[in-house]
Amino acid sequence: MKSKSKTYLYFFSIFSFAPFMFGPAQSAPTLSAKPIKCAQDAGWNDPASARRLYGNTWYVGTCGVSSVLITTQQGHILIDGGTPEAANLIETNIRSLGFQLSDVRYILSSHEHFDHVGGIAQLQRNTGAKVLARAAAIPALERGANDRSDPQYKIIEGFSPVKDIQPIADGETLKLGATTLTAHATPGHTQGSTSWTWRSCVANQCKQIAYVDSLSAISDDEYQYSDESQHPGVLQSFRATLHKVAKLPCDILITPHPSASDLWPRLDQEANKKLVNKQACQQYAQKARVNLDARIAKEKSSTP
Ligand SMILES: [Zn+2]
């Protein structure tokens, strides 16, 4: 499939040139001597230590909700802003690595639920970054509230509305410095669900990093994924997402909830847990397929 090639470029303005004479800090981490150890079942607002994932890619989220910073010579990209309460923790983590909030140029997100985008309004204000999202996610982001197209509509919390969002389409790329991210529409968990891939290098060792959105079929009591009259095409697009995720370039999988991809045991190199796993996206998609099939079977058996 041919992907669209529209590319966002970061342009210097003469007004912003001076601070970039030497470029934003690349890596001057002053990591705390005793990093916080995160439990697999950690809370969404439990503070985590900022840490390097690979190359220019850093974990700056909490123990329970991911936020990832990708640093370049021309500024940085942040994916996901955690809960409203987590925004302060994310800001502290970015600074703890020696990076400046004002060097964050773009904020992206996985999906329009308060635990991943609740902190974006604050982060947008405090960084001055541009927020990019897929068109399907924009209405909920702008309202700070979900609607009935969201499987969890009746049980999900609202969040601070996000302003001035620029659309980015499926297959479109975002280029900043030497890094190019690709947006992948992966609807299912929500209609706006988006996954992101990029390449990160340490010397000449380059890895494909895939930040793949939640794939869980979770809903309130009212919603049925298999109800074609209410939600036409939704189940089909969810299944298409699982096919797509299995084929993403994927040496290192990161998920919006670190526990969904065993991030902590992988980072701590516990037994049989490796940060790099070329099958990780396939395995993640397969697990989601089993869950979705079980969910649909349940819907079919409970529908009169
Ligand atoms: Zn969610």
Side-chain angles (χ1 to χ4, degrees), residues 111-116 152 156 189-190 213-214 216 257:
H111 67 269
E112 60 280 19
H113 278 164
F114 81 100
D115 48 333
H116 308 286
Q152 297 184 53
I156 198 88
H189 183 77
T190 68
D213 197 14
S214 302
S216 51
H257 290 286

Side-chain angles (χ1 to χ4, degrees), residues 148-230:
R148 186 57 288 180
S149 68
D150 191 300
Q152 297 184 53
Y153 173 49
K154 299 271 169 157
I155 49 171
I156 198 88
E157 281 177 38
F159 51 91
S160 295
V162 181
K163 285 180 284 191
D164 303 322
I165 306 167
Q166 295 184 15
I168 183 163
D170 181 28
E172 236 179 282
T173 55
L174 167 65
K175 186 167 162 53
L176 188 63
T179 299
T180 303
L181 272 83
T182 304
H184 304 272
T186 48
H189 183 77
T190 68
Q191 285 310 295
S193 280
T194 307
S195 300
W196 304 91
T197 55
W198 64 96
R199 206 167 74 119
S200 196
C201 302
V202 175
N204 57 357
Q205 290 283 311
C206 297
K207 304 288 179 205
Q208 295 286 349
I209 305 191
Y211 188 86
V212 184
D213 197 14
S214 302
L215 299 177
S216 51
I218 301 171
S219 77
D220 53 47
D221 290 342
E222 196 179 272
Y223 192 95
Q224 301 253 298
Y225 288 88
S226 55
D227 185 346
E228 278 300 309
S229 64
Q230 293 296 314

Side-chain angles (χ1 to χ4, degrees), residues 234-275:
V234 161
L235 183 55
Q236 201 190 356
S237 69
F238 204 153
R239 292 201 185 283
T241 286
L242 303 181
H243 281 286
K244 192 183 212 178
V245 165
K247 291 188 177 136
L248 287 177
C250 182
D251 295 320
I252 298 176
L253 170 66
I254 309 164
T255 50
H257 290 286
S259 57
S261 51
D262 283 344
L263 183 67
W264 303 123
R266 285 162 60 215
L267 278 175
D268 293 333
Q269 299 186 317
E270 288 178 17
N272 299 322
K273 301 286 182 186
K274 290 199 168 67
L275 182 64

Side-chain angles (χ1 to χ4, degrees), residues 57-89:
T57 301
W58 309 81
Y59 190 91
V60 293
T62 64
C63 279
V65 183
S66 302
S67 182
V68 166
L69 187 74
I70 302 148
T71 57
T72 85
Q73 297 282 2
Q74 246 104 73
H76 315 316
I77 298 166
L78 182 70
I79 310 180
D80 276 347
T83 67
E85 296 78 16
N88 287 335
L89 296 169

